[in-house]
């Protein structure tokens, strides 16, 4: 599991950021992620692993952003019991992530979920060793497998598949397998603990806002959870997130960053590829109604009901419980 490589200019060729998209929705995420890495001038290669379900137009756009777009077999854990426990029946396919170890024409890589967004250059991650990752916000003795440093190796790939057949995954997805396999991550070597700013879950901001202010400067935001940036719609003119059928779970500012990049840099490329075929960009201009501007679409809740919703993880992040409102409240305590 060692891959000590000193980085000379030639060796940069052999290092890559890798992501995965098995369908067109996650492909949109991969497009934004790739663009964000390019915008922050990464010197490393970009690789997207895709499944056969990704449509031709999306494949073409990915090929314009990524150095390599590689079709892989979709692996599925089929572990409905554990996936149901996480309320994410869709995550069995994340086993496909394990294919990243087969990219042996690279010596070291950084895997990033398609629902991550890079906010500044993170090439320094290549100074780290396998397996480096940030703690999971839900269970910090586990690492979150949305961002990790690894060294491609067919031997490791084989051992991982063997691990899957013998032990399965405690969460039904790749994170369970990887934490089982790299089981000494929590205790063996602190240099393999990436700072949280490399995998900042937008949900964590709300559970520990003062730490967010203290830790500052997130470098990678991870839109972890069921609702993804592409689950919303966006009004590019008003620069406003408009999809309201989903509970907003992400920090509005980061969501806006995602949508600004998607609408300005990705949508034009998709438009070019789709040509006359209809496609839904998610960008919609919304006429502001009186009730919207007053934020009174939601029924008024008592403070007891709001507390209950908050404790169930259903805060009204875009409205009453918005980042700005929480900050204002905290500031009054801190004064
Ligand atoms: N993924 C995919 N297709 C799917 C589900 C997941 O390609 O149907 C990939 C994608 O790269 C995604 C990662 O697996 O970012 C992990 O899934 P997700 O981000 O939804 O999990 P979460 O971070 O919300 O737990
Ligand atoms: C997690 C990770 C994600 C992983 C999933 C399934 O919550 O964020 O990257 O694919 O669990 O194990
Ligand atoms: Mn994710």
């Amino acid at each position: 599991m060692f891959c000590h490589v000193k980085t000379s200019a030639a060796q940069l060729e052999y290092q890559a950021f890798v992501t995965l998209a098995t369908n067109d929705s996650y492909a949109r995420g991969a497009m934004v992620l790739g663009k964000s890495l390019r915008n922050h001038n990464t010197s490393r290669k970009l690789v997207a692993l895709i499944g056969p379900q990704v449509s031709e137009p999306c494949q073409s756009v990915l090929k314009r952003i990524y150095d390599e777009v590689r079709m892989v077999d979709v692996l599925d854990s089929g572990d409905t019991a554990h996936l149901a426990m996480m309320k994410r029946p869709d995550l069995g396919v994340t086993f496909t992530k394990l294919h990243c170890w087969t990219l042996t024409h690279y010596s070291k890589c950084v895997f990033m979920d398609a629902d991550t967004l890079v906010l500044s250059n993170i090439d320094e991650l290549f100074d780290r060793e396998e397996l480096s990752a940030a703690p999971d916000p839900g269970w910090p003795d586990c690492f979150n497998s949305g961002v990790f440093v690894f060294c491609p190796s067919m031997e490791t790939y084989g051992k991982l598949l063997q691990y899957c057949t013998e032990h399965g995954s405690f969460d039904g997805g790749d994170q369970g397998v990887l934490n089982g396999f790299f089981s000494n991550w929590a205790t063996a070597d602190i240099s393999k603990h990436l700072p949280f700013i490399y995998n900042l879950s937008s949900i964590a901001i709300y559970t520990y806002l003062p730490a967010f202010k203290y830790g500052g400067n997130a470098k990678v935001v991870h839109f972890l959870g069921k609702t993804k940036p592409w689950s919303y719609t966006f009004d590019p003119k008003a620069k406003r997130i408009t999809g309201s059928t989903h509970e907003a779970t992400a920090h509005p500012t980061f969501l806006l960053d995602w949508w600004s990049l998607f609408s300005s840099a990705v949508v034009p490329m998709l438009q070019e590829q789709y040509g006359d075929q209809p496609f839904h960009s998610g960008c919609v201009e919304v006429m502001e109604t009186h009730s919207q501007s007053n934020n009174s679409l939601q029924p008024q809740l008592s403070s007891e009901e709001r507390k209950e919703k908050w404790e169930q993880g259903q805060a009204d992040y875009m409205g009453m419980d918005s980042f700005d409102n929480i900050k204002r409240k905290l500031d009054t305590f801190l004064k």
Side-chain angles (χ1 to χ4, degrees):
M1 289 180 206
F2 288 102
C3 47
H4 293 289
V5 185
K6 286 209 189 75
T7 39
S8 67
Q11 278 161 337
L12 297 185
E13 283 284 302
Y14 301 106
Q15 300 187 337
F17 286 100
V18 180
T19 192
L20 163 70
T22 64
N23 57 39
D24 281 3
S25 301
Y26 282 94
R28 288 181 178 204
M31 291 165 198
V32 172
L33 167 64
K35 271 280 172 195
S36 70
L37 282 160
R38 294 264 183 241
N39 286 353
H40 294 291
N41 303 316
T42 181
S43 57
R44 296 339 197 256
K45 297 281 186 201
L46 302 188
V47 180
L49 303 177
I50 58 164
Q53 257 188 39
V54 176
S55 68
E56 281 295 332
C58 286
Q59 290 192 28
S60 303
V61 172
L62 284 171
K63 282 178 191 155
R64 285 176 63 183
I65 301 171
Y66 282 78
D67 297 292
E68 186 182 343
V69 176
R70 178 183 277 227
M71 183 73 75
V72 293
D73 296 332
V74 173
L75 305 173
D76 193 334
S77 73
D79 186 351
T80 40
H82 283 117
L83 290 164
M85 240 156 64
M86 289 207 301
K87 299 194 173 62
R88 293 294 300 275
D90 49 320
L91 287 188
V93 298
T94 64
F95 265 42
T96 314
K97 228 189 245 186
L98 302 181
H99 275 298
C100 68
W101 265 273
T102 67
L103 295 169
T104 51
H105 46 307
Y106 298 102
S107 52
K108 192 187 279 187
C109 297
V110 174
F111 182 88
M112 302 188 72
D113 267 9
D115 60 342
T116 58
L117 174 72
V118 167
L119 306 172
S120 62
N121 185 289
I122 50 167
D123 288 355
E124 68 272 16
L125 285 180
F126 290 91
D127 296 339
R128 305 271 179 161
E129 282 172 31
E130 177 174 276
L131 187 288
S132 294
D136 185 84
W139 194 266
D141 291 337
C142 288
F143 58 83
N144 181 274
S145 61
V147 177
F148 61 87
V149 182
F150 71 101
C151 297
S153 143
M154 287 312 285
E155 191 190 337
T156 312
Y157 179 64
K159 286 183 181 166
L160 278 164
L161 291 190
Q162 195 184 341
Y163 186 92
C164 289
T165 35
E166 284 171 13
H167 307 276
S169 161
F170 64 74
D171 69 358
D174 65 288
Q175 183 160 307
V177 178
L178 292 174
N179 273 276
F181 188 78
F182 296 100
S183 61
N184 66 359
W185 172 84
T187 51
D189 180 354
I190 196 68
S191 72
K192 294 184 180 179
H193 286 226
L194 295 182
F196 200 48
I197 54 166
Y198 290 102
N199 186 350
L200 181 84
S201 132
S202 43
I203 306 163
I205 300 167
Y206 294 100
T207 48
Y208 201 2
L209 185 73
F212 172 64
K213 287 176 70 182
Y214 165 78
N217 298 339
K219 293 192 173 194
V220 178
V221 59
H222 184 179
F223 298 97
L224 187 151
K226 206 172 160 59
T227 311
K228 301 300 184 196
W230 52 87
S231 318
Y232 299 90
T233 47
F234 177 65
D235 182 341
K237 220 165 173 188
K239 296 222 172 309
R240 224 172 49 186
I241 306 292
T242 48
S244 57
T245 50
H246 300 272
E247 288 283 346
T249 50
H251 188 302
T253 311
F254 293 138
L255 258 187
L256 275 178
D257 290 342
W258 190 96
W259 270 101
S260 304
L261 192 52
F262 180 70
S263 60
S264 65
V266 174
V267 171
M269 285 200 266
L270 284 168
Q271 251 151 3
E272 224 173 277
Q273 293 304 325
Y274 276 93
D276 294 336
Q277 294 173 57
F279 92 102
H280 186 52
S281 70
C283 297
V284 275
E285 226 173 276
V286 175
M287 301 289 283
E288 184 161 307
T289 62
H290 180 65
S291 58
Q292 270 172 326
S293 60
N294 280 341
N295 213 353
S296 59
L297 272 179
Q298 311 279 332
Q300 291 296 314
L301 298 176
S302 70
S303 70
E304 201 44 46
E305 284 167 322
R306 273 185 62 212
K307 181 164 172 261
E308 204 169 291
K309 286 204 112 191
W310 177 276
E311 284 167 359
Q312 290 164 357
Q314 297 172 358
D316 174 21
Y317 296 126
M318 308 292 269
M320 292 283 274
D321 307 317
S322 71
F323 179 69
D324 287 338
N325 281 349
I326 299 171
K327 186 171 171 295
R328 217 169 291 133
K329 185 103 182 166
L330 275 174
D331 285 344
T332 61
F333 293 142
L334 295 172
K335 257 180 211 150

